[in-house]
Every structure is written in structure tokens, then in C-alpha cells.
Amino acid sequence: MAFDHQEEEQLASLKAWWAKYGNAATWVLVAGLAAYSGWAGWQYYQRTQAVEASALYDELQTSVGKDNAKVQRAAGDIESRYGRTLYAQMAALTAAKSAFDANDLKTAKAKLQWVVEHGNDEYKAVAKIRLAGLLLDEKAYADALKTLDGDVPAQFKAAVSDRKGDVLAAQNKLAEARAAYQAALSGTDEKNPARQLIELKLEAVGGTVPEPKPAAA
């Protein structure tokens, strides 16, 4: 009887607890299950999106250099259907190059702008540098410099400075161009082949190329 009485007390306590906290506990449990289900579903969705986007990107690559219209259609499909994947950014950059080669500069700029607005930091930096180059060709100097504004990952800072130097040199702002090229040079490894071109541009605007550092003993 003592055992039965103890059970009754426990059951009464459980009922009292449930009356006070049961609904809240149920909501927490349901929320937790929903969160897990949502996370699992999101992971599956992302994997599916990546696989499908990869297939479309492979199709796009087969048209590069052969059919610019197909490249643009495929890139548009990837952007609209799989815009959150890296394949969308890669497709847009590829489509921009294809459009440029086809002398369709309007489309090239639009694709690069899409990456600037939707890409991750690395692809955004690449798109900014290329878009600024197209704007430089159009003599849209203010727009080119504006495009290059903002932070970029460390590995792209020298390239951004180099492009700024190009724009400033085209505006005949030689002192500012020298400063930009010097920044580009200081951020470029001495073994990097691009360094020689930066040195030539620096000298062309009246700058002095620093002496190479002596090799370590």
C-alpha cells in the first residue's frame, strides 16, 4: 500500500506540473523538433541545389567560346533558380567574359554587377576589379573608382590598388596613380609575374621602383 500511495503522490505531482508547465514544455519540444527537421531539410535542399546547379554549370561550360546566347541563358537559369550557390557566381563571371568576347559590353557589365551585389567576398572582389576595367574602357572614371570602394579580402587588395592606379593614370592624376601603384607593388609578392607590369606602370607615371630586397643569407 505504501508503494501505491507513493505512486499516487508522484502521479498527482506530475499532473500538477503538467497543468502548470505542460503546454509550454510541449511548445519547446515541438519547436526543437521543428528546428531539427528544418535544419535537416535545409541541408538536403542545399545539397540538391548544388547538384542541380553543378549540372547546369557543366552545360554552360560546353557552350563557352561557341554560343554566347546559350551561355547567357544558362547563366540566367542558374542565377534565378540557384542564386544562393557558388555556381551562380561562377556562372555570372563566366557569362560576363563570354559577353565581353562577343562585344556585348552591356550584358558583361550586368553580369559583373550581379556578382558584386550577390557574391561572396572573394567573387565580389573579382567582379569589382573586372567591372572597373570595363568602366575604365568607357572612360567612366568616377563610376570605376566607386566600384572599387569598400573592403576586399587581403589577397585582392593589391589588385584593387593596381586597378585604381589605372583609372587615376587615365585621369592624369599622376601623384595619386603613383601612390596606388606603390600600394599594389608593396602588396605583390616579388615572385609574382604581375609585379613586372605594375613596376612598368609605376615608372610610366613617374614613380621609382624600389630596389629588390637582398636574399636572406
Side-chain angles (χ1 to χ4, degrees):
M1 292 296 293
F3 181 77
D4 291 342
H5 180 67
Q6 185 178 8
E7 279 188 332
E8 288 177 3
E9 286 183 341
Q10 290 174 340
L11 184 58
S13 297
L14 178 59
K15 287 180 178 179
W17 183 90
W18 184 261
K20 188 172 183 179
Y21 302 111
N23 283 335
T26 300
W27 280 109
V28 170
L29 178 61
V30 169
L33 290 173
Y36 174 76
S37 176
W39 179 83
W42 177 246
Q43 293 295 311
Y44 173 76
Y45 173 77
Q46 284 189 312
R47 288 195 298 271
T48 302
Q49 289 270 295
V51 170
E52 293 175 356
S54 173
L56 269 180
Y57 183 73
D58 287 343
E59 289 182 21
L60 176 150
Q61 289 282 50
T62 62
S63 298
V64 172
K66 302 173 184 177
D67 191 331
N68 178 56
K70 282 187 178 180
V71 171
Q72 301 308 323
R73 283 197 298 272
D77 285 344
I78 297 173
E79 289 165 26
S80 62
R81 295 165 59 186
Y82 311 105
R84 294 185 179 183
T85 67
L86 289 178
Y87 289 104
Q89 301 169 47
M90 293 160 56
L93 288 174
T94 302
K97 177 63 165 58
S98 178
F100 176 79
D101 291 341
N103 204 32
D104 183 0
L105 301 185
K106 181 179 179 180
T107 298
K109 288 189 294 182
K111 292 299 182 185
L112 292 172
Q113 186 63 43
W114 188 91
V115 180
V116 170
E117 294 173 0
H118 299 92
N120 64 16
D121 290 343
E122 287 76 14
Y123 283 123
K124 186 181 295 186
V126 171
K128 281 185 171 186
I129 294 166
R130 293 181 182 177
L131 179 56
L134 292 183
L135 293 168
L136 169 60
D137 290 342
E138 295 179 345
K139 296 182 170 53
Y141 304 129
D143 289 339
L145 291 174
K146 184 178 179 180
T147 297
L148 295 168
D149 280 345
D151 292 332
V152 296
Q155 65 268 34
F156 293 98
K157 287 184 177 180
V160 168
S161 294
D162 179 46
R163 183 68 82 216
K164 283 182 179 178
D166 296 341
V167 178
L168 292 164
Q171 292 178 286
N172 207 34
K173 296 180 178 180
L174 301 187
E176 294 175 63
R178 282 194 293 272
Y181 286 137
Q182 285 167 346
L185 203 58
S186 65
T188 303
D189 188 271
E190 292 185 0
K191 295 180 181 179
N192 190 326
R195 188 178 175 88
Q196 290 184 335
L197 179 58
I198 300 171
E199 290 175 350
L200 289 173
K201 291 190 285 188
L202 176 58
E203 290 176 336
V205 295
T208 303
V209 176
E211 292 293 327
K213 297 178 182 179

